[in-house]
Amino acid sequence: MLLIIAAVVPALIFLYIIYRSDRHREHPKFVLFMYVIGAISVLPAGLIEKCLLDLYTATPDPPTGFMATLVTAFFVAGITEETIKAIVFQRAVLHKRFFDEPYDGVVYAVAIGLGFATVENILYVLSDGLSTAFVRAFTAVPAHALFGVVMGSYFSKARFEGAPVWHAYIVPALLHGLYDTFALATGFWPNMLLVVYLMWLVRFAYVRGGRLLRIHDQTTTVASLS
């Protein structure tokens, strides 16, 4: 039970932070529903990743070393997981009436991402123990939340500004792939690069999410003056 709690609590904390940052908070049942759907989406993502890994290892003379890390990070994990989450968002959120403000995209995308991260975290922690829970609480879990902030910001641009929706697929997948490249590599320098990258990712996501909050504030001010 302690392992389950250690695996679940970090994701719930980050979800609460994002939820509370919304000026006009969404109904909790919608946010919880997206969290649950994100958790369920681990199943198709895991099956696809297994098939891709089987295909990769079955190829004659597959690349090894750093090239294998890149393939796994970008083409197996990054693209698969972020595409699944983006499909969930597009099908369950993008054209719904409750998605009526730009920052809503961040809240729902983070809920989906953290639902995914929760199940993934449980699997890792049950396998590797409390030390893994501690490390992932400061790496993988916030990374999924940050990917969600970025994904949600691009979906909001697609809905409210007519931007291309494919940005919400490609950018988080690339960010995820780069994260996994550092996380899968071993040694002192990959670990240091992972820390620096997470710091940059926090800044990047903060800028994306902050822009949507400013749009909300400007819209509210105009509405109050009219």
Side-chain angles (χ1 to χ4, degrees):
M1 181 59 69
L2 179 60
L3 291 176
I4 298 293
I5 294 173
V8 172
V9 167
L12 294 180
I13 290 174
F14 281 108
L15 181 58
Y16 178 77
I17 291 171
I18 294 298
Y19 179 76
R20 293 285 298 180
S21 67
D22 192 1
R23 304 279 198 266
H24 180 236
R25 296 185 187 115
E26 301 305 289
H27 197 292
K29 71 177 181 181
F30 293 141
V31 179
L32 179 60
F33 179 70
M34 297 309 158
Y35 178 83
V36 172
I37 294 297
I40 295 172
S41 69
V42 170
L43 178 59
L47 292 174
I48 293 171
E49 287 175 329
K50 185 180 184 305
C51 290
L52 291 174
L53 284 173
D54 289 343
L55 287 172
Y56 176 69
T57 56
T59 57
D61 193 24
T64 58
F66 184 66
M67 185 57 65
T69 299
L70 286 178
V71 171
T72 302
F74 282 92
F75 297 101
V76 177
I79 291 178
T80 300
E81 294 180 13
E82 297 308 317
T83 297
I84 291 291
K85 288 188 282 187
I87 290 173
V88 169
F89 189 104
Q90 188 166 1
R91 299 285 294 179
V93 179
L94 184 59
H95 301 295
K96 303 302 183 187
R97 292 178 61 184
F98 55 77
F99 184 14
D100 56 3
E101 294 177 344
Y103 196 74
D104 294 352
V106 169
V107 175
Y108 290 124
V110 169
I112 293 168
L114 288 175
F116 190 103
T118 298
V119 176
E120 187 181 71
N121 218 30
I122 290 172
L123 296 175
Y124 275 105
V125 171
L126 289 179
S127 174
D128 300 328
L130 279 176
S131 60
T132 297
F134 179 80
V135 172
R136 290 180 60 84
F138 294 96
T139 55
V141 175
H144 276 284
L146 295 169
F147 301 148
V149 172
V150 175
M151 179 181 292
S153 72
Y154 280 109
F155 271 122
S156 290
K157 286 196 68 174
R159 179 172 174 88
F160 297 103
E161 301 177 33
V165 74
W166 61 265
H167 291 170
Y169 284 77
I170 297 299
V171 177
L174 293 175
L175 295 174
H176 193 148
L178 189 55
Y179 168 87
D180 277 356
T181 299
F182 298 135
L184 292 173
T186 58
F188 174 81
W189 287 112
N191 290 337
M192 290 299 100
L193 289 172
L194 178 61
V195 172
V196 173
Y197 176 65
L198 282 171
M199 293 171 63
W200 174 85
L201 190 58
V202 167
R203 174 63 180 170
F204 181 68
Y206 178 80
V207 171
R208 301 290 310 178
R211 175 181 177 273
L212 299 183
L213 285 175
R214 287 193 298 273
I215 290 174
H216 176 271
D217 291 343
Q218 291 168 1
T219 302
T220 303
T221 300
V222 170
S224 65
L225 294 175
S226 60

